[in-house]
Short mmCIF file of all heavy atoms in Angstrom, two decimals:
data_model
loop_
_atom_site.label_atom_id
_atom_site.label_comp_id
_atom_site.label_asym_id
_atom_site.label_seq_id
_atom_site.Cartn_x
_atom_site.Cartn_y
_atom_site.Cartn_z
N GLY A 16 214.96 -137.26 119.24
CA GLY A 16 214.68 -137.43 120.66
C GLY A 16 214.21 -136.12 121.28
O GLY A 16 214.60 -135.04 120.85
N ILE A 17 213.37 -136.22 122.30
CA ILE A 17 212.84 -135.03 122.94
C ILE A 17 213.27 -134.96 124.40
O ILE A 17 213.74 -135.95 124.97
CB ILE A 17 211.31 -134.95 122.84
CG1 ILE A 17 210.66 -136.12 123.59
CG2 ILE A 17 210.86 -134.92 121.40
CD1 ILE A 17 209.17 -135.98 123.74
N VAL A 18 213.10 -133.81 125.00
CA VAL A 18 213.40 -133.56 126.40
C VAL A 18 212.11 -133.10 127.05
O VAL A 18 211.44 -132.21 126.55
CB VAL A 18 214.48 -132.47 126.54
CG1 VAL A 18 214.72 -132.14 128.01
CG2 VAL A 18 215.77 -132.90 125.86
N MET A 19 211.76 -133.70 128.18
CA MET A 19 210.61 -133.25 128.96
C MET A 19 211.12 -132.24 129.98
O MET A 19 212.03 -132.53 130.74
CB MET A 19 209.96 -134.42 129.69
CG MET A 19 209.52 -135.57 128.78
SD MET A 19 208.13 -135.17 127.73
CE MET A 19 206.80 -135.25 128.90
N VAL A 20 210.55 -131.03 129.99
CA VAL A 20 211.00 -129.95 130.87
C VAL A 20 209.98 -129.73 131.98
O VAL A 20 208.79 -129.59 131.72
CB VAL A 20 211.21 -128.64 130.08
CG1 VAL A 20 211.64 -127.51 131.01
CG2 VAL A 20 212.24 -128.86 128.96
N VAL A 21 210.46 -129.70 133.24
CA VAL A 21 209.62 -129.43 134.40
C VAL A 21 210.03 -128.05 134.93
O VAL A 21 211.14 -127.88 135.45
CB VAL A 21 209.80 -130.50 135.49
CG1 VAL A 21 208.94 -130.18 136.71
CG2 VAL A 21 209.48 -131.88 134.94
N HIS A 22 209.15 -127.06 134.77
CA HIS A 22 209.42 -125.70 135.24
C HIS A 22 209.08 -125.59 136.73
O HIS A 22 208.17 -126.24 137.22
CB HIS A 22 208.57 -124.69 134.47
CG HIS A 22 208.94 -124.58 133.03
ND1 HIS A 22 209.91 -123.72 132.58
CD2 HIS A 22 208.49 -125.25 131.94
CE1 HIS A 22 210.02 -123.86 131.28
NE2 HIS A 22 209.17 -124.78 130.87
N GLY A 23 209.79 -124.75 137.46
CA GLY A 23 209.49 -124.50 138.88
C GLY A 23 209.61 -125.75 139.72
O GLY A 23 208.83 -125.96 140.65
N ALA A 24 210.59 -126.59 139.43
CA ALA A 24 210.72 -127.88 140.11
C ALA A 24 211.13 -127.75 141.58
O ALA A 24 211.10 -128.75 142.30
CB ALA A 24 211.71 -128.76 139.36
N ASP A 25 211.47 -126.55 142.02
CA ASP A 25 211.87 -126.34 143.41
C ASP A 25 210.85 -126.91 144.40
O ASP A 25 211.23 -127.48 145.41
CB ASP A 25 211.99 -124.84 143.73
CG ASP A 25 212.88 -124.11 142.77
OD1 ASP A 25 212.47 -123.94 141.61
OD2 ASP A 25 213.97 -123.71 143.19
N VAL A 26 209.57 -126.74 144.09
CA VAL A 26 208.52 -127.16 145.03
C VAL A 26 208.51 -128.66 145.24
O VAL A 26 207.98 -129.14 146.24
CB VAL A 26 207.13 -126.68 144.56
CG1 VAL A 26 207.07 -125.17 144.53
CG2 VAL A 26 206.75 -127.27 143.22
N LEU A 27 209.11 -129.41 144.35
CA LEU A 27 209.14 -130.87 144.49
C LEU A 27 210.12 -131.33 145.56
O LEU A 27 210.00 -132.43 146.08
CB LEU A 27 209.51 -131.52 143.16
CG LEU A 27 208.54 -131.31 142.01
CD1 LEU A 27 209.13 -131.87 140.72
CD2 LEU A 27 207.21 -131.96 142.33
N LEU A 28 211.10 -130.49 145.89
CA LEU A 28 212.16 -130.89 146.82
C LEU A 28 211.61 -131.31 148.17
O LEU A 28 212.11 -132.24 148.77
CB LEU A 28 213.20 -129.78 146.98
CG LEU A 28 214.46 -130.16 147.77
CD1 LEU A 28 215.14 -131.37 147.14
CD2 LEU A 28 215.42 -129.00 147.83
N GLY A 29 210.56 -130.70 148.64
CA GLY A 29 209.99 -131.05 149.93
C GLY A 29 208.95 -132.15 149.87
O GLY A 29 208.41 -132.55 150.90
N ALA A 30 208.67 -132.69 148.70
CA ALA A 30 207.63 -133.71 148.55
C ALA A 30 208.04 -135.01 149.24
O ALA A 30 209.21 -135.40 149.20
CB ALA A 30 207.35 -133.97 147.08
N ASP A 31 207.07 -135.67 149.88
CA ASP A 31 207.35 -136.92 150.60
C ASP A 31 207.86 -138.03 149.68
O ASP A 31 208.65 -138.86 150.09
CB ASP A 31 206.08 -137.41 151.31
CG ASP A 31 205.69 -136.53 152.47
OD1 ASP A 31 206.56 -135.81 153.01
OD2 ASP A 31 204.50 -136.54 152.84
N HIS A 32 207.39 -138.04 148.45
CA HIS A 32 207.71 -139.14 147.55
C HIS A 32 208.46 -138.67 146.31
O HIS A 32 208.23 -139.15 145.21
CB HIS A 32 206.43 -139.88 147.15
CG HIS A 32 205.68 -140.41 148.33
ND1 HIS A 32 206.16 -141.45 149.10
CD2 HIS A 32 204.52 -140.03 148.89
CE1 HIS A 32 205.30 -141.70 150.07
NE2 HIS A 32 204.30 -140.85 149.97
N LEU A 33 209.40 -137.75 146.49
CA LEU A 33 210.14 -137.21 145.36
C LEU A 33 210.88 -138.31 144.59
O LEU A 33 210.84 -138.35 143.37
CB LEU A 33 211.11 -136.13 145.82
CG LEU A 33 212.01 -135.53 144.74
CD1 LEU A 33 211.16 -134.91 143.63
CD2 LEU A 33 212.96 -134.51 145.34
N LYS A 34 211.55 -139.22 145.32
CA LYS A 34 212.28 -140.29 144.63
C LYS A 34 211.34 -141.18 143.84
O LYS A 34 211.66 -141.61 142.74
CB LYS A 34 213.09 -141.11 145.63
CG LYS A 34 214.29 -140.38 146.18
CD LYS A 34 215.08 -141.26 147.12
CE LYS A 34 216.23 -140.49 147.72
NZ LYS A 34 217.03 -141.31 148.63
N VAL A 35 210.17 -141.45 144.39
CA VAL A 35 209.18 -142.28 143.68
C VAL A 35 208.71 -141.56 142.42
O VAL A 35 208.61 -142.16 141.35
CB VAL A 35 207.99 -142.63 144.59
CG1 VAL A 35 206.89 -143.32 143.81
CG2 VAL A 35 208.44 -143.48 145.76
N PHE A 36 208.45 -140.26 142.53
CA PHE A 36 208.04 -139.47 141.37
C PHE A 36 209.11 -139.52 140.28
O PHE A 36 208.81 -139.75 139.10
CB PHE A 36 207.79 -138.02 141.80
CG PHE A 36 207.53 -137.07 140.67
CD1 PHE A 36 206.35 -137.14 139.94
CD2 PHE A 36 208.46 -136.11 140.34
CE1 PHE A 36 206.11 -136.27 138.89
CE2 PHE A 36 208.23 -135.23 139.29
CZ PHE A 36 207.05 -135.31 138.57
N MET A 37 210.36 -139.33 140.67
CA MET A 37 211.45 -139.36 139.70
C MET A 37 211.56 -140.74 139.05
O MET A 37 211.76 -140.85 137.85
CB MET A 37 212.77 -138.99 140.38
CG MET A 37 212.77 -137.62 141.01
SD MET A 37 212.49 -136.30 139.86
CE MET A 37 214.09 -136.20 139.14
N MET A 38 211.41 -141.78 139.84
CA MET A 38 211.50 -143.14 139.30
C MET A 38 210.36 -143.42 138.35
O MET A 38 210.56 -144.03 137.29
CB MET A 38 211.50 -144.15 140.45
CG MET A 38 211.78 -145.56 139.98
SD MET A 38 213.41 -145.77 139.25
CE MET A 38 214.43 -145.48 140.66
N VAL A 39 209.15 -142.96 138.66
CA VAL A 39 208.00 -143.16 137.77
C VAL A 39 208.24 -142.47 136.43
O VAL A 39 207.99 -143.05 135.37
CB VAL A 39 206.69 -142.66 138.43
CG1 VAL A 39 205.57 -142.56 137.42
CG2 VAL A 39 206.29 -143.58 139.58
N LEU A 40 208.75 -141.24 136.45
CA LEU A 40 209.06 -140.55 135.20
C LEU A 40 210.08 -141.34 134.39
O LEU A 40 209.90 -141.55 133.19
CB LEU A 40 209.60 -139.15 135.48
CG LEU A 40 208.64 -138.12 136.05
CD1 LEU A 40 209.39 -136.81 136.29
CD2 LEU A 40 207.45 -137.91 135.14
N CYS A 41 211.13 -141.77 135.04
CA CYS A 41 212.18 -142.50 134.33
C CYS A 41 211.70 -143.85 133.83
O CYS A 41 212.01 -144.24 132.69
CB CYS A 41 213.39 -142.69 135.25
SG CYS A 41 214.26 -141.16 135.63
N LEU A 42 210.95 -144.58 134.63
CA LEU A 42 210.43 -145.87 134.20
C LEU A 42 209.45 -145.73 133.05
O LEU A 42 209.45 -146.54 132.11
CB LEU A 42 209.77 -146.61 135.37
CG LEU A 42 210.72 -147.18 136.40
CD1 LEU A 42 209.94 -147.66 137.62
CD2 LEU A 42 211.53 -148.32 135.81
N ALA A 43 208.59 -144.72 133.12
CA ALA A 43 207.62 -144.50 132.04
C ALA A 43 208.35 -144.18 130.74
O ALA A 43 208.00 -144.71 129.67
CB ALA A 43 206.66 -143.38 132.40
N ALA A 44 209.36 -143.34 130.81
CA ALA A 44 210.13 -143.02 129.61
C ALA A 44 210.85 -144.25 129.09
O ALA A 44 210.83 -144.52 127.88
CB ALA A 44 211.15 -141.91 129.92
N ASP A 45 211.44 -145.03 129.98
CA ASP A 45 212.14 -146.24 129.56
C ASP A 45 211.18 -147.22 128.91
O ASP A 45 211.47 -147.80 127.87
CB ASP A 45 212.83 -146.88 130.76
CG ASP A 45 213.61 -148.11 130.36
OD1 ASP A 45 214.63 -147.95 129.64
OD2 ASP A 45 213.22 -149.22 130.75
N ARG A 46 210.02 -147.40 129.51
CA ARG A 46 209.02 -148.34 128.98
C ARG A 46 208.54 -147.87 127.60
O ARG A 46 208.40 -148.67 126.68
CB ARG A 46 207.85 -148.46 129.94
CG ARG A 46 206.73 -149.35 129.47
CD ARG A 46 207.18 -150.80 129.38
NE ARG A 46 206.07 -151.63 128.97
CZ ARG A 46 205.87 -152.02 127.72
NH1 ARG A 46 206.69 -151.67 126.78
NH2 ARG A 46 204.84 -152.77 127.42
N ALA A 47 208.31 -146.59 127.44
CA ALA A 47 207.88 -146.07 126.14
C ALA A 47 208.97 -146.26 125.10
O ALA A 47 208.68 -146.53 123.93
CB ALA A 47 207.51 -144.59 126.26
N ASN A 48 210.21 -146.15 125.51
CA ASN A 48 211.33 -146.30 124.58
C ASN A 48 211.62 -147.75 124.20
O ASN A 48 212.23 -148.01 123.18
CB ASN A 48 212.60 -145.68 125.16
CG ASN A 48 212.56 -144.18 125.12
OD1 ASN A 48 212.01 -143.60 124.21
ND2 ASN A 48 213.16 -143.55 126.10
N THR A 49 211.21 -148.68 125.05
CA THR A 49 211.54 -150.08 124.80
C THR A 49 210.31 -150.95 124.66
O THR A 49 210.36 -152.15 124.88
CB THR A 49 212.43 -150.64 125.93
OG1 THR A 49 211.73 -150.51 127.17
CG2 THR A 49 213.75 -149.93 126.00
N ALA A 50 209.19 -150.36 124.28
CA ALA A 50 207.95 -151.11 124.12
C ALA A 50 208.11 -152.19 123.05
O ALA A 50 208.88 -152.05 122.12
CB ALA A 50 206.80 -150.17 123.76
N VAL A 51 207.35 -153.25 123.20
CA VAL A 51 207.42 -154.35 122.24
C VAL A 51 206.22 -154.32 121.30
O VAL A 51 205.16 -153.79 121.63
CB VAL A 51 207.47 -155.71 122.96
CG1 VAL A 51 208.76 -155.83 123.77
CG2 VAL A 51 206.26 -155.92 123.85
N ASP A 52 206.40 -154.92 120.13
CA ASP A 52 205.30 -155.01 119.18
C ASP A 52 204.44 -156.22 119.54
O ASP A 52 204.76 -156.97 120.48
CB ASP A 52 205.82 -155.07 117.75
CG ASP A 52 206.61 -156.33 117.45
OD1 ASP A 52 206.47 -157.35 118.18
OD2 ASP A 52 207.38 -156.32 116.47
N PRO A 53 203.33 -156.46 118.83
CA PRO A 53 202.44 -157.58 119.17
C PRO A 53 203.13 -158.95 119.14
O PRO A 53 202.67 -159.90 119.77
CB PRO A 53 201.34 -157.50 118.12
CG PRO A 53 201.30 -156.06 117.74
CD PRO A 53 202.73 -155.61 117.81
N ASP A 54 204.23 -159.09 118.41
CA ASP A 54 204.96 -160.36 118.36
C ASP A 54 205.93 -160.53 119.52
O ASP A 54 206.60 -161.55 119.62
CB ASP A 54 205.74 -160.48 117.04
CG ASP A 54 204.82 -160.52 115.83
OD1 ASP A 54 203.74 -161.12 115.94
OD2 ASP A 54 205.19 -159.93 114.80
N GLY A 55 206.06 -159.52 120.37
CA GLY A 55 206.97 -159.60 121.49
C GLY A 55 208.37 -159.12 121.18
O GLY A 55 209.26 -159.23 122.01
N ASP A 56 208.58 -158.60 119.98
CA ASP A 56 209.89 -158.08 119.60
C ASP A 56 209.95 -156.59 119.91
O ASP A 56 208.93 -155.89 119.84
CB ASP A 56 210.14 -158.28 118.10
CG ASP A 56 210.16 -159.75 117.73
OD1 ASP A 56 210.72 -160.55 118.50
OD2 ASP A 56 209.59 -160.09 116.67
N LEU A 57 211.15 -156.10 120.22
CA LEU A 57 211.30 -154.66 120.41
C LEU A 57 210.93 -153.95 119.13
O LEU A 57 211.30 -154.38 118.04
CB LEU A 57 212.74 -154.31 120.79
CG LEU A 57 213.17 -154.65 122.20
CD1 LEU A 57 214.64 -154.31 122.38
CD2 LEU A 57 212.34 -153.92 123.22
#
């Protein structure tokens, strides 16, 4: 397993859509981790 590192993340704190950004990262990682094969199986 790997870790994605975001350097200098301080600047994100004032972003209007910080929660959306965090959710997109998490959802993308989750989707990549649970992708299905062509038969629809994990």
Side-chain angles (χ1 to χ4, degrees):
I17 63 170
V18 176
M19 303 290 284
V20 178
V21 179
H22 293 272
D25 307 71
V26 297
L27 297 173
L28 188 57
D31 291 337
H32 302 291
L33 177 59
K34 288 182 183 180
V35 172
F36 173 70
M37 301 299 282
M38 188 63 66
V39 167
L40 291 178
C41 292
L42 286 170
D45 182 67
R46 177 67 178 97
N48 285 327
T49 59
V51 295
D52 66 20
D54 296 324
D56 297 320
L57 286 176

